[in-house]
Amino acid sequence: MPGRIARRGAALGLGAVWWWAVLRLTLTSDAGVLEGAVAASGWGLSVLPVHCVARRRAEGAVPEGRWRWAWREWREGGGGDRRGGGRGGRGR
């Protein structure tokens, strides 16, 4: 519960700072680089979660451990395909 409160407090505080920067950029003539940086970084962070999906929910995600398996197969000279005899490996 304390972690949830801290996350919400941080989100509320950072949101207030972002709105302050945006309003200061739009309503005053003496806004500077600080306000611009805060507004730009807040916008960039807001776009990021749209493109992120948890691996287990992502369509076509590579299963965990697959790259370890492929590397081990390649080093041992095995085929690159789990069914055996596929493309990949050392080109035998």
Side-chain angles (χ1 to χ4, degrees), residues 2-74:
R4 177 187 244 176
I5 293 170
R7 282 192 306 267
R8 287 185 181 177
L12 184 64
L14 292 173
V17 169
W18 184 81
W19 274 108
W20 165 81
V22 169
L23 290 175
R24 187 158 160 81
L25 279 171
T26 57
L27 300 176
T28 65
S29 60
D30 63 340
V33 176
L34 175 65
E35 290 89 350
V38 169
S41 64
W43 178 82
L45 288 175
S46 70
V47 173
L48 180 66
V50 174
H51 303 287
C52 297
V53 177
R55 179 181 285 193
R56 66 181 178 272
R57 289 180 30 213
E59 186 176 322
V62 177
E64 198 168 320
R66 181 203 182 261
W67 295 111
R68 261 190 314 256
W69 174 85
W71 181 254
R72 193 177 322 116
E73 285 290 313
W74 180 80

